[in-house]
């Protein structure tokens, strides 16, 4: 009997939260100050992944305090938040062209931030070993293929080969 009553109370609380959520306009612009960097986005974008930091703060259960200029302050790294927001918008991150060790360091930092924001899907995405890596075998297969031989004028392909040999010479 007690269990049924608890379930009923939980259901009523859930219904209240649903009503509160309806009062928030998901298209409304949200102004964030993350580590001193200012961002403008929408509640819809920030809450695309369920059970996250953002779904919690925009659930209507909490009073959101804002700075005097109207920003919600988050004491995290604003430079890394760019990648968080990129993933929430596009479900992918385009990383800068850099050597593998720098890319791995950047991924670790973004994973740390994703943990803070409780973005499990992003963490899984970043932990995918195939993400943004090109193996030595793939490079040599491409160079030896007809497509690779005809693409030497492609600056992107040339940069991949140059970066590969720079890393090879450093190790």
């Amino acid at each position: 009997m007690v269990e049924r009553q608890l379930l009923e109370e939980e259901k009523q609380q859930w219904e209240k939260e649903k009503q509160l959520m309806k009062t928030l306009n998901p298209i409304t612009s949200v102004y964030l100050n993350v580590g001193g960097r200012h961002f403008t986005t929408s509640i819809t974008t920030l809450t695309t992944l369920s059970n996250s930091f953002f779904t919690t703060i925009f659930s209507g259960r909490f009073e959101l305090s804002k700075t005097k200029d109207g920003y919600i302050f988050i004491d995290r790294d604003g430079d890394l938040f760019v990648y968080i927001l990129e993933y929430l918008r596009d479900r992918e991150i385009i990383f800068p062209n850099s050597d593998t060790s720098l890319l791995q360091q950047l991924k670790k930092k973004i994973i740390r931030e994703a943990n803070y924001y409780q973005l499990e899907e992003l963490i899984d995405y970043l932990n995918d070993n195939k993400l943004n890596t090109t193996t030595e075998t793939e490079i040599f297969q491409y160079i030896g293929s007809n497509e690779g031989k005809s693409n030497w004028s492609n600056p992107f392909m040339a940069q991949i080969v140059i970066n590969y040999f720079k890393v090879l010479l450093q190790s």
Side-chain angles (χ1 to χ4, degrees):
M1 207 52 150
V2 174
E3 200 172 301
R4 183 177 175 86
Q5 184 180 0
L6 288 173
L7 283 174
E8 189 59 36
E9 288 173 7
E10 194 174 305
K11 181 181 176 189
Q12 288 173 357
Q13 182 63 29
W14 176 248
E15 290 300 323
K16 284 181 187 177
E17 282 189 33
K18 279 177 35 180
Q19 292 305 319
L20 264 170
M21 288 295 285
K22 287 180 183 177
T23 63
L24 294 173
N25 182 353
I27 306 301
T28 301
S29 292
V30 177
Y31 304 100
L32 302 174
N33 174 341
V34 183
R37 287 195 59 183
H38 292 172
F39 297 89
T40 303
T41 188
S42 70
I43 292 173
T44 302
T45 298
L46 293 173
T47 59
T48 56
L49 299 179
S50 59
N51 301 319
S52 73
F53 171 86
F54 299 110
T55 57
T56 300
I57 68 168
F58 293 112
S59 68
R61 291 180 279 176
F62 304 99
E63 181 80 25
L64 290 175
S65 61
K66 296 181 179 177
T67 62
K68 63 183 176 187
D69 52 355
Y71 286 85
I72 297 169
F73 179 73
I74 302 173
D75 191 15
R76 301 301 295 179
D77 188 323
D79 293 333
L80 295 173
F81 189 74
V82 170
Y83 297 104
I84 300 290
L85 196 52
E86 182 178 346
Y87 186 81
L88 291 173
R89 288 177 174 151
D90 303 325
R91 288 300 188 278
E92 71 174 338
I93 297 175
I94 308 298
F95 287 101
N97 189 12
S98 62
D99 71 56
T100 306
S101 65
L102 289 177
L103 182 60
Q104 292 306 319
Q105 288 175 8
L106 178 59
K107 282 185 194 179
K108 284 180 184 178
K109 289 179 179 184
I110 297 170
I111 288 170
R112 183 184 62 221
E113 296 300 298
N115 275 314
Y116 176 82
Y117 295 113
Q118 302 165 351
L119 301 170
E120 294 300 321
E121 183 180 305
L122 174 55
I123 294 166
D124 292 343
Y125 172 82
L126 293 168
N127 282 326
D128 181 358
N129 290 331
K130 295 178 185 172
L131 180 63
N132 296 310
T133 59
T134 306
T135 66
E136 178 181 329
T137 305
E138 290 170 325
I139 291 171
F140 284 116
Q141 284 175 345
Y142 181 81
I143 291 170
S145 71
N146 288 334
E147 180 185 5
K149 289 174 186 172
S150 66
N151 269 336
W152 279 109
S153 61
N154 178 341
F156 177 73
M157 186 59 219
Q159 189 61 50
I160 288 175
V161 173
I162 290 167
N163 287 346
Y164 168 74
F165 284 108
K166 281 181 182 177
V167 169
L168 187 65
L169 292 172
Q170 289 174 357
S171 50

